[in-house]
Structure formats: structure tokens, C-alpha cells
Amino acid sequence: MRLTVAQALVRFLSRQRTERDGVERRLVQGCLGIFGHGNVAGIGQALASEGAGTGSALPYYLARNEQAMVHTAVGYARQANRLSAFACTSSIGPGATNMVTGAALATINRLPVLLLPGDIFATRVASPVLQELEDPRSYDASVNDCLKPVSRFWDRINRPEQLPSALLAAMRVLTDPADTGAVTLALPQDVQAEAYDWPEELFAERVWHIGRPVPEPAALARAVRAIERSRRPLIVAGGGVRYSEAWEGLRAFAERYGVPVGETQAGKGALPHDHPLAVGAVGHTGTAAADALAREADLVIGIGTRYSDFTTASRTLFGAADAFVNVNVAAFDAYKHAAVPVVADARAAIEALEEALRGRWRADDDWTERATRLAGDWRDVVAGAYAGEALTQPVVLGIVNEAALAAAGGSVVVNAAGSMPGDLHKLWRAPDPEAYHVEYGYSCMGYEIAGGLGVKLAAPEREVFVLVGDGSYLMMAQEIATAVQEGVKLTIVLVDNQGFASIGNLSESVGARRLGTAYRLRGGSGDLDGDRLPVDLAANAASLGADVLRATDPGSLRAALAKAVEATRTTVVYVETVPGAAPDSGAWWDVPVAEEGVPEIRERYEEAKRAQRPYL
Ligand SMILES: Cc1ncc(C[n+]2csc(CCOP(=O)(O)OP(=O)(O)O)c2C)c(N)n1
Ligand SMILES: [Mg+2]
């Protein structure tokens, strides 16, 4: 069949499907993009000729920024529990390098996205072309090489014959639960347009089976022995619980054996927030309940977690643990902290462990009861933090949380960077396991609105509440225009505290005097300490096509949210907050302090550092 490389690529992508637990879906739901001379004649022409409208071979979505479109793709893939993904097409040069941050975010969070950057002519006859990086040491270099270290699979299609095997490898990585992330196929602009006689079978419908690898019996037996020795176990539920949809099994296991469940950012919602054994967030942004238990647990059962420094409080939290048992589909994570590794799908492994332990073991009753009591105490703390008349951030989150719990078709809260992720982790009552979406692997400012758009594309029945700080908003708000274009309705709560509350507090704590963390005019002293910036973010949101409501107190915030939920158009609720911290557990985070200039802070830092354990 004679087609161009780009036409063959588009046709191939439109025919790939995934299957898990007997349910089939389209693997590549659509293609986000921005055209330039590096992709318009190839991929652009192919999408136009194959049909790019909704419901066609590969629906095309025009985005506003290439980094943002990767965030949208990632938001989609995460909400779809990695069972389906998006492709992203860019031109060469800046369009391609704009995707590097999105690619890093995808790979760090282990979320599949297919990147199709244009590349310089393979023939090189017209070099240097517009936007080409010339490397005097090698004609083989292009800016797309920047995508190599942040991709799980990377290839450049210099000849049509290379396409079929590259496509098969790309689909394998997109659907591999252990080894997924950004997949990059760099497409030289001349090769995209080149015709070739393809074998018909390249375009056959293919189903990619997403497996549930079962634990090896001997590994399972070792894990059972480690668990049987424990009296005070704690489960740390991570994103793997979510992607494997292991919630039912997790609940059954926790209840049968009396094991409390703490949650990472990616795992939040693993148990219903009001379950007696749901002790909530664990780690630096953890609840007093989960972190007290984490400090005393003799065994940590990590399920689908990569143990980031936030989860382990920079390796100071699990101070009494004699052992770790790690269930993870990725061996890399399963082996962390010298654990007893169980390399398997979370659901399959939890079910196997549940069965193997029957009648043989249960956590100490005192421990289970204590966990239940601490979880109840924390629920009271949350109720207290949510109450109040001043619009502190916890009060704002409480009011948004009320609206989310009441949303008829369900809800998702979306956030990524600033001071809100920590507050959300500790406080948010997630109504179901797919209702919490905080990107905290890369914690990338600017993910919120773009990612929220992807979430809504994956879960149109749910009310999507995007929480975005003023700093993040100023970095990347333009996808509001894309949401308006697509008729995709988001409720965006824009929380303005005139700068970086998070980094401002951190700055003060490390002796950096909050330098450069407040949005202020340059003042008479020469510092950024003058008047408030004359910037109107609500007007900005309106200019991008959103409906905008301003809230000034709890009553008007409730009313604005009710209106936003009723609305069919993307609505921005603008709210200014006053300072007011959320309660915390005191768990540490390792951020180095200057060894000269701030002796008292440095001394406290060195003291805290002494609690750090390698967990070996
Ligand atoms: C792309 C990017 N640049 C820098 C940072 C470092 N950083 C983390 S939070 C933050 C400030 C965020 O400000 P805002 O969105 O207003 O949230 P706030 O801290 O005020 O809650 C910065 C600069 C980051 N996470 N991402
Ligand atoms: Mg801010």
C-alpha cells in the first residue's frame, strides 16, 4: 500500500487497541499538536487526508503550547489509568524542545505519551534549515536529542523501512506497566513526506494486552514470612494501586489483617477517606495519624510506590522499620530500601498475599485500634482546618472540597505545584479512588490547567476542579483557550496569594529571606518589596474566553462554585487568600542549608539530618 511515512504512521496509530481484564479501548485516542514547517506537510497532510475530526481516524486537537499539550496528554493517560494515551505532534526546533519538560514529567510519573517531534531533513541537502542546531562535531545531532534522556523509548526515523519496527517498539513501551513514560519518534521533515510501499499487515488492527504479572511463588512465600514476623505493619499505597485498580483487594487485605493504609500523592484515594483504616497522607506532607504510625511501624508494605523523598520524609520517617516488603510491577522500585521484593501487578499481588496469609496472621489489635483512633483524630483536625470565616488556603480548599463531594457525576481535583499539593495531600477528602489528581512526581508549575483539560477529556462525566496558584497560572494559563475551543468545561479555582507562598516559606526557613518570592514592584530600596503588581489575573482569564467569578468570602466562594458547577462553559473562580497554614505532622524534608552565613539554621539542619537512615 503506497502511503507517505506520515500517512502510514497516522493510519497505524488509529488501529491500535489495548485490552485489560477483557475490556478493549483505543490505544491512541487522538493527536494534540501545533504545526510548523517541520510537521505541516507530513503529519499535517496525513491527518487532513485520513480525517482528523472527532470520531475520525485520529482526532486532532490544536493546543497553545507544546509543553502544555504534553501535560494534557499526561493528564488524560493518568485519568485513564494508563489504559489509553495521546500522541503529540510538533514542528522542529523550539516546538520540539518545548516538549522536553512534558516528557520528563511523563517519564518520572510513569505515564504514557507518544511524542512526534519533527526533525531536520534526513538528506541534509538544504542544511542548515530554519531552527536547526548546527553541531560542528557531528552532522547527526539535532535538538531532538534533548528528548533522549527523558524518554523511555527514543528513535529517529531516517528511512521509511525503519518505521514498522519503531512503531511496534513504541506501542510496547506505551502499554508496558513497568517501563512506560514518554515515547519519542523523531520524524525528519523530508522523511515524513516520503512515499513507500507498505505491507498491508502493518495496518491490521492490533490489540496490546496490558498484563497483570503474578508474583513468583517463592517471592510470595518470602513476603509472607516477612509479614508474619510483623506486629505493627503499615501499608504505603502509591500510584501503582491506582493504575492497577487494586482498591477492592487493598481494602479486603487491610480489613482482614487490621493493617492501616497510608497514601502517597499518586496513591491518594486508595481507600475511601472515611474508612477506619485510612490514615491518609504519609510523609513530609503527611497526616499526624499516618506519620505517627510510620515512625513506629516495624514493617512497611509499599504497594506501587517509588518512595520519593516526600514519602519517606527524606528517609527519616520509617525509623523503627525492621523490614520493607515492596509490591511493584517495576523491579527497580520493588528492590528499593533492601526490601523483600514482590515484582508483580499490585492487584494480583495483594490478592495472592491475602490468600496466603489467611488464618496465619493479623496485626496486633492494639496497633489496629490505635490506627483507627488516630485516623479519627485527624478527621477532626481536618474539620477544624476547613472551618473559619477568613479565606485562608485550608478554608478555600474545604469549600472546594464540599463542592467536589456534592458533584452529581463525581469529581476530580487537579493540582501540581506550590503550597496546595501539601495541603491537599493532608486535608482533601477524596470521594472515590479516581477523584484526586495531584501531579507530584515532577511537581511542575503550569501542569494544572493543561493537565486538567486532559483529565476532563478522559472523564467527561466528572466535574473537574482545577486548583491553580497565581504563580502556576502566570506560567501557563493559555490552555484555557484550548478548553474553550473544544467546548470542554473546567472549573478552575485560581488561588491568588501574590507570589510563591510555598517557596517563600521555604526560603525563610533556609535563611534566604523570602528573596524573590513575592510578586511586588521594585521598590525604593532596590528590592522587590514595593507595591502590589498591577496585574489582574481574573481579567486575564476572561480575556482567554472563560467565564469569571470573583469570590471574596466563604459565602461568595460557595455561591461562585455552585454557579461554576451548573455552568456548561469553562469557569474561573478567582479568590485571594490570606495567610494561614494547614496543620502538619512535623515530618522533615531535606533541603540543604548554607554552611556559612546562617549558623543557627544550619545547626538545626544538621541535627535533623542525624535522623536520616539509609533504610538498609
Ligand atoms: C516549572 C517550575 N518552576 C519552578 C518550580 C519551583 N516552585 C515550586 S512551587 C513554586 C511557587 C508556586 O507559586 P504558586 O503557584 O503561586 O503557588 P503558592 O506557592 O503561592 O501556593 C515554585 C517557583 C516548579 N515547581 N516548577
Ligand atoms: Mg501563589
Side-chain angles (χ1 to χ4, degrees):
M1 186 177 296
R2 195 157 177 83
L3 294 170
T4 68
V5 166
Q7 289 160 359
L9 170 73
V10 166
R11 193 166 294 187
F12 176 90
L13 294 181
S14 71
R15 304 208 171 149
Q16 308 306 304
R17 300 182 67 72
T18 64
E19 177 276 330
R20 189 171 74 176
D21 304 330
V23 182
E24 276 196 26
R25 296 171 179 80
R26 228 175 126 140
L27 168 50
V28 184
Q29 285 292 333
C31 183
L32 292 142
I34 293 179
F35 291 124
H37 66 282
N39 60 341
V40 70
I43 298 281
Q45 190 282 333
L47 284 165
S49 69
E50 295 283 312
T54 327
S56 66
L58 201 61
Y60 180 71
Y61 299 82
L62 164 61
R64 297 298 176 286
N65 172 298
E66 292 87 353
Q67 180 187 322
M69 78 193 181
V70 184
H71 294 338
T72 299
V74 165
Y76 182 94
R78 174 159 164 185
Q79 200 62 33
N81 293 339
R82 309 196 295 203
L83 299 171
S84 167
F86 261 85
C88 295
T89 172
S90 83
S91 189
I92 68 171
T97 51
N98 266 357
M99 296 202 291
V100 173
T101 297
L105 184 150
T107 297
I108 285 169
N109 284 289
R110 319 268 166 86
L111 291 165
V113 55
L114 176 61
L115 306 182
L116 305 170
D119 212 326
I120 51 176
F121 279 72
T123 58
R124 300 181 188 152
V125 289
S127 277
V129 296
L130 177 67
Q131 300 169 331
E132 175 171 346
L133 172 82
E134 290 187 274
D135 183 344
R137 295 163 303 174
S138 166
Y139 289 148
D140 189 42
S142 108
V143 296
N144 285 339
D145 295 343
C146 294
L147 286 157
K148 274 187 189 170
V150 289
S151 296
R152 276 278 171 264
F153 179 77
W154 186 102
D155 203 7
R156 183 153 32 221
I157 311 301
N158 284 309
R159 296 189 52 83
E161 293 90 330
Q162 296 169 338
L163 184 68
S165 59
L167 283 174
L168 294 180
M171 298 305 110
R172 166 179 59 79
V173 177
L174 288 176
T175 56
D176 183 335
D179 193 28
T180 195
V183 171
T184 300
L185 297 181
L187 301 166
Q189 52 185 118
D190 51 347
V191 179
Q192 287 181 46
E194 204 174 321
Y196 184 74
D197 293 313
W198 307 95
E200 297 264 352
E201 63 262 33
L202 179 62
F203 307 111
E205 200 168 87
R206 272 192 185 72
V207 181
W208 298 83
H209 300 282
I210 300 182
R212 293 189 176 279
V214 295
E216 185 208 343
L220 189 73
R222 284 190 290 269
V224 165
R225 281 200 295 278
I227 295 172
E228 279 175 336
R229 280 195 290 271
S230 161
R231 305 176 58 195
R232 303 184 309 278
L234 175 71
I235 290 174
V236 174
V241 172
R242 159 97 190 243
Y243 304 134
S244 152
E245 300 174 350
W247 314 296
E248 285 306 317
L250 177 68
R251 194 214 309 238
F253 183 94
E255 287 173 358
R256 182 177 288 267
Y257 301 114
V259 186
V261 177
E263 299 163 337
T264 71
Q265 285 278 14
K268 190 169 160 82
L271 283 191
H273 66 90
D274 50 1
H275 190 283
L277 289 166
V279 294
V282 68
H284 175 60
T285 53
T287 68
D291 285 354
L293 297 166
R295 289 188 180 97
E296 292 168 35
D298 61 1
L299 172 74
V300 178
I301 307 175
I303 308 179
T305 175
R306 49 186 203 99
Y307 288 108
S308 83
D309 63 347
F310 266 68
T311 299
T312 66
S314 300
R315 303 201 179 203
T316 61
L317 193 58
F318 305 115
D322 306 319
F324 287 73
V325 169
N326 289 343
V327 172
N328 209 298
V329 72
F332 180 70
D333 290 318
Y335 278 78
K336 283 178 177 171
H337 301 319
V340 178
V342 180
V343 181
D345 169 69
R347 195 170 96 184
I350 295 169
E351 284 170 6
L353 282 170
E354 206 250 358
E355 205 175 308
L357 282 162
R358 273 198 202 164
R360 301 170 65 136
W361 173 79
R362 200 181 144 86
D364 274 6
D365 286 347
D366 292 355
W367 176 253
T368 309
E369 277 161 30
R370 176 135 178 276
T372 304
R373 201 169 54 245
L374 288 172
D377 292 348
W378 184 258
R379 279 189 269 278
D380 295 341
V381 170
V382 173
Y386 275 180
E389 280 312 302
L391 282 183
T392 60
Q393 189 162 287
V395 167
V396 168
L397 297 184
I399 294 169
V400 180
N401 206 161
E402 257 172 48
L405 287 166
S411 64
V412 189
V413 66
V414 182
N415 187 242
S419 58
M420 280 189 279
D423 289 2
L424 287 165
H425 194 207
K426 286 179 279 196
L427 303 177
W428 193 260
R429 297 165 179 154
D432 68 78
E434 292 171 310
Y436 184 86
H437 188 119
V438 173
E439 185 284 296
Y440 217 61
Y442 212 37
S443 186
C444 185
M445 288 170 74
Y447 176 84
E448 296 87 348
I449 295 171
L453 174 58
V455 170
K456 184 71 178 178
L457 288 171
E461 71 290 353
R462 288 178 182 247
E463 189 64 35
V464 175
F465 294 90
V466 174
L467 284 162
V468 59
D470 53 324
S472 260
Y473 181 91
L474 276 170
M475 217 176 254
M476 201 168 272
Q478 75 293 329
E479 298 311 310
I480 288 176
T482 307
V484 170
Q485 156 197 296
E486 295 298 332
V488 170
K489 185 265 179 109
L490 301 175
T491 294
I492 299 170
V493 182
L494 168 47
V495 178
D496 192 348
N497 52 19
Q498 281 100 58
F500 305 163
S502 51
I503 305 300
N505 292 334
L506 183 62
S507 169
E508 191 168 315
S509 76
V510 299
R513 292 192 297 105
R514 293 186 172 260
L515 172 70
T517 59
Y519 288 152
R520 295 271 163 187
L521 292 172
R522 193 165 294 285
S525 67
D527 281 344
L528 293 175
D529 59 359
D531 285 342
R532 205 183 141 145
L533 286 189
V535 171
D536 186 342
L537 298 182
N540 178 275
S543 79
L544 293 172
D547 290 343
V548 176
L549 303 164
R550 290 175 193 255
T552 51
D553 53 47
S556 60
L557 180 57
R558 279 195 186 89
L561 285 167
K563 209 166 160 191
V565 167
E566 281 302 304
T568 54
R569 302 191 69 251
T570 286
T571 305
V572 172
V573 176
Y574 174 84
V575 58
E576 287 187 33
T577 52
V578 295
D584 72 49
S585 69
W588 190 60
W589 184 35
D590 191 349
V591 177
V593 171
E595 248 183 305
E596 283 297 327
V598 284
E600 278 158 34
I601 303 176
R602 175 72 195 189
E603 204 176 304
R604 282 204 300 278
Y605 171 72
E606 283 172 12
E607 174 64 35
K609 214 169 158 56
R610 280 194 269 281
Q612 217 161 24
R613 285 182 69 194
Y615 297 155
L616 273 173

